[in-house]
């Protein structure tokens, strides 16, 4: 019996290294190629071919299939100071569900078409980099995408209308780039009413009327050159919580707007909006941020709701608004 137990123990010792190997061999090979294509940056020093890639920094594996499903490379101090582009070898990590490249100021070049091969992606973030060029049409091929974040880059050109073909999108972030042209009319055909973060660009033209069909949680269009009406973003039956249209060229009669009672934040400052604030704003019970300053509004501020909780700075520099918290109407 003792001899038998000894043989079992020896056998377990011999096979335990194999049992401990979790990383899919093809994924490991592809990660090492990816590292080599990046010129072996110090931030990936843990990517040692003699160790299991599921334990490497920035890598996460599926516990059942052992495939690499997440790659998250973040700013990690002075050792991030190297120049690189996203290599085509990224396409070989075919099981990726999450790809995050964040706060890498020396990441440059265009977004490579190879990303279109990552059809399992549900979360794609390439932000706070120096990536340039257009927002590519091929992103519309990533049908599993739920979150697309390309904010804080140097992207130029117009927003591709094809992004509306992403059926599961929950959040679209293209803010803090150098994008021009209009918001695509096709954005009214999203299946999923994603939150839209398009602020701090150079977008122009009118907001498409088709957005009346959408009910996103958040809409951030501030710091652009948008003009005209914004009625389509609102409606009594919508559940939108946050809208920021500040510092644009918007000009419409606010008295005709029906605001959703779900609003938590509404910022319309620095536009050319006119008319009287509608009485319906008194029914917005959870409003925590409100600013209509620097517009052309007139008439008495609705009394009896939450609007009196905001100070003068939320209302001043309008044509003839009056009533608390501003001076009484004459």
């Amino acid at each position: 019996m003792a001899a038998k137990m000894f043989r079992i123990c020896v056998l377990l010792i011999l096979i335990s290294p194999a049992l401990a190997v979790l990383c899919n061999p093809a994924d490991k090979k592809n990660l090492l190629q990816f590292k080599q294509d990046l010129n072996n940056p110090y931030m990936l020093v843990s990517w040692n071919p003699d160790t299991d890639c599921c334990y490497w920094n920035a890598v996460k594996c599926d516990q059942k299939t052992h495939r690499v499903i997440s790659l998250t490379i973040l700013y990690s101090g002075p050792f991030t100071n190297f120049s690189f582009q996203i290599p085509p070898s990224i396409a070989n990590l075919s099981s990726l569900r999450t790809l995050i490249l964040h706060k890498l100021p020396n990441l440059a070049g265009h977004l490579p078409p190879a990303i279109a091969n990552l059809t399992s992606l549900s979360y794609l973030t390439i932000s706070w980099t120096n990536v340039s060029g257009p927002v590519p049409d091929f992103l519309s091929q990533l049908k599993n995408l739920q979150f697309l974040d390309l904010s804080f880059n140097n992207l130029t050109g117009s927003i591709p209308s094809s992004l509306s073909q992403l059926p599961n999108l929950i959040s679209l972030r293209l803010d803090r780039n150098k994008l021009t042209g209009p918001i695509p009319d096709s954005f009214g055909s999203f299946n999923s009413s994603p939150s839209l973060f398009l602020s701090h660009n150079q977008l122009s033209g009118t907001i498409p009327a088709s957005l009346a069909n959408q009910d996103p949680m958040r809409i951030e269009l501030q710091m652009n050159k948008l003009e005209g009406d914004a009625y389509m973003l609102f409606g009594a039956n919508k559940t939108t919580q946050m809208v920021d249209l500040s510092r644009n060229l918007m000009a419409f009669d606010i008295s005709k707007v029906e605001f959703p009672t779900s609003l938590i934040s509404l910022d319309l400052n620095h536009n050319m909006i006119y008319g009287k604030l509608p009485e319906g704003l008194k029914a917005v019970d959870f409003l925590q941020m409100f600013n209509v300053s620097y517009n052309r509004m007139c008439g008495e501020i609705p009394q009896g709701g939450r609007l009196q909780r905001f100070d003068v700075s939320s209302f001043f520099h309008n044509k003839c608004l009056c009533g608390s918290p501003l001076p009484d109407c004459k």
Side-chain angles (χ1 to χ4, degrees), residues 2 10 44 63 69 86 110 112 129 159 172 179 192 198 206 236 251 266 290 326:
V10 170
L44 303 182
Q63 292 184 353
I69 58 172
I86 302 172
H110 293 193
T129 77
I159 300 173
L172 173 62
L179 300 174
S192 49
L198 308 178
T206 59
L266 177 63
F290 183 80
L326 295 177

Side-chain angles (χ1 to χ4, degrees), residues 66 90 92 112 242 254 269:
H66 310 310
I90 189 68
N92 297 326
M242 304 180 72
I254 196 170
N269 81 80

Side-chain angles (χ1 to χ4, degrees), residues 43 73-75 80 82-86 99-112 115 124-134 149-156 175-178:
M43 68 172 71
I73 301 178
L74 309 174
Y75 176 79
T80 319
F82 66 101
S83 297
F84 66 105
Q85 298 183 16
I86 302 172
L99 174 60
I100 299 176
L101 305 174
H102 178 62
K103 283 197 172 181
L104 301 170
N106 293 298
L107 173 59
H110 293 193
L111 296 174
I115 291 177
L124 175 59
T125 292
I126 301 172
S127 60
W128 292 78
T129 77
N130 274 303
V131 166
S132 59
D149 183 355
L150 302 178
S151 61
F152 289 85
N153 292 303
N154 285 315
L155 298 173
T156 56
D175 48 303
R176 304 271 181 170
N177 280 286
K178 299 175 182 177

Side-chain angles (χ1 to χ4, degrees), residues 33-269:
Q33 181 63 55
F34 181 75
K35 177 186 178 184
Q36 181 179 330
D37 293 343
L38 293 178
N39 296 319
N40 299 307
Y42 184 85
M43 68 172 71
L44 303 182
V45 68
S46 69
W47 291 21
N48 185 329
D50 296 326
T51 60
D52 190 330
C53 77
C54 290
Y55 297 101
W56 291 352
N57 177 50
V59 175
K60 181 179 179 181
C61 295
D62 184 276
Q63 292 184 353
K64 294 182 178 179
T65 65
H66 310 310
R67 298 300 304 272
V68 173
I69 58 172
S70 177
L71 182 60
T72 302
I73 301 178
L74 309 174
Y75 176 79
S76 57
F79 297 112
T80 319
N81 190 24
F82 66 101
S83 297
F84 66 105
Q85 298 183 16
I86 302 172
S89 55
I90 189 68
N92 297 326
L93 298 170
S94 58
S95 295
L96 277 184
R97 300 174 201 164
T98 297
L99 174 60
I100 299 176
L101 305 174
H102 178 62
K103 283 197 172 181
L104 301 170
N106 293 298
L107 173 59
H110 293 193
L111 296 174
I115 291 177
N117 294 327
L118 303 176
T119 55
S120 295
L121 278 182
S122 60
Y123 197 116
L124 175 59
T125 292
I126 301 172
S127 60
W128 292 78
T129 77
N130 274 303
V131 166
S132 59
V135 178
D137 270 312
F138 63 68
L139 292 174
S140 64
Q141 300 175 37
L142 303 176
K143 301 302 184 182
N144 290 305
L145 266 190
Q146 297 182 37
F147 297 90
L148 175 57
D149 183 355
L150 302 178
S151 61
F152 289 85
N153 292 303
N154 285 315
L155 298 173
T156 56
S158 58
I159 300 173
S161 60
S162 58
L163 293 181
S164 64
Q165 299 171 21
L166 295 170
N168 300 302
L169 201 62
I170 295 173
S171 177
L172 173 62
R173 294 203 60 167
L174 301 176
D175 48 303
R176 304 271 181 170
N177 280 286
K178 299 175 182 177
L179 300 174
T180 55
I183 298 171
D185 184 68
S186 65
F187 275 22
S189 61
F190 274 111
N191 289 336
S192 49
S193 289
S195 292
L196 298 176
F197 301 86
L198 308 178
S199 69
H200 296 81
N201 279 289
Q202 301 169 30
L203 301 178
S204 58
T206 59
I207 299 174
S210 62
L211 287 184
N213 301 321
Q214 299 293 298
D215 187 18
M217 181 180 294
R218 295 182 64 171
I219 304 170
E220 294 195 7
L221 306 179
Q222 68 270 27
M223 295 292 291
N224 280 292
K225 300 177 182 178
L226 298 169
E227 56 189 32
D229 208 339
Y231 74 93
M232 72 293 294
L233 303 180
F234 305 102
N237 295 323
K238 293 196 177 188
T239 59
T240 302
Q241 296 182 5
M242 304 180 72
V243 177
D244 193 338
L245 306 179
S246 61
R247 296 183 181 273
N248 276 286
L249 304 171
M250 309 299 300
F252 58 91
D253 186 350
I254 196 170
S255 66
K256 297 180 179 180
V257 176
E258 289 188 279
F259 290 99
T261 57
S262 55
L263 275 179
I264 296 174
S265 176
L266 177 63
D267 194 344
L268 305 176
N269 81 80

